[in-house]
Amino acid sequence: MTELGIADATPEQRLGRHLRALRRSRGLTLKQLAETASLSHPFLSQLERGLAQPSMASLERLARALGTSRVELFASAERHDGAGGSAPTIVRADEGVIGPYAEGTARMLTEGPRRFEPIEFRGSNPTASDHFVHDEDEFITVIEGSVVVGLGVHGEWTLGPGDSVYCRSGTLHRWRSADGEPYRLIIIKELFGTHTATAYPKDARLSGQLAEGSWA
């Protein structure tokens, strides 16, 4: 298949390119990622080439296996015209890609070429999901409500409005509502590929040995 420019590619092709780049940045082969995400090798190959559309369940399994989220994968499929250069980008309150993220809903706060991912997250989950772990640094600040942030071996911390946490590359992290009430966070993640990858053992990623870490 002839490679098209990003602006000319279909959403499926842009998503496929992003999945391939993420997989390679994580040091995973097609077969390893397919096994981790419980998908077939041929289907994943077609997906990376923009020849297939994943179900929401398949996309969630891929996101978990790659240390990202469905909303970030949705955003990767958006068309970028390549213009803008140093010009500012404005995203209004009723704009931005919206989709599932962890145990809640997230809205992407920017679009087009960028060096980091600012995300608005809303949730009310009283229990936490599995830990996330990825190569990119991540900053989280609480805007509304009270949350309990789990940081693996670094313990659990209750945070309220104005409190923040910075998770460096490879840090296990997850969160939940401290009182069952809704909460709102601003999350700022490094754009993948801008950070020198932490050398996690591949077998640890695939077998879940990263202390409940969610590469899978």
Side-chain angles (χ1 to χ4, degrees), residues 79-103:
R79 184 180 186 276
H80 300 155
D81 60 15
S86 60
T89 300
I90 305 297
V91 174
R92 302 290 186 181
D94 60 349
E95 298 176 337
V97 177
I98 297 175
Y101 188 111
E103 303 304 302

Side-chain angles (χ1 to χ4, degrees), residues 51-121:
L51 301 177
Q53 290 185 332
S55 66
M56 290 298 100
S58 296
L59 205 61
E60 177 65 20
R61 290 199 294 271
L62 281 169
R64 292 279 180 171
L66 291 167
T68 186
S69 64
R70 271 190 281 170
V71 70
E72 290 169 278
L73 294 180
F74 292 157
S76 74
E78 291 290 292
R79 184 180 186 276
H80 300 155
D81 60 15
S86 60
T89 300
I90 305 297
V91 174
R92 302 290 186 181
D94 60 349
E95 298 176 337
V97 177
I98 297 175
Y101 188 111
E103 303 304 302
T105 301
R107 179 172 72 96
M108 307 301 288
L109 299 180
T110 191
E111 58 185 20
R114 53 194 179 274
R115 295 186 179 181
F116 52 85
E117 297 277 19
I119 301 167
E120 178 187 30
F121 176 90

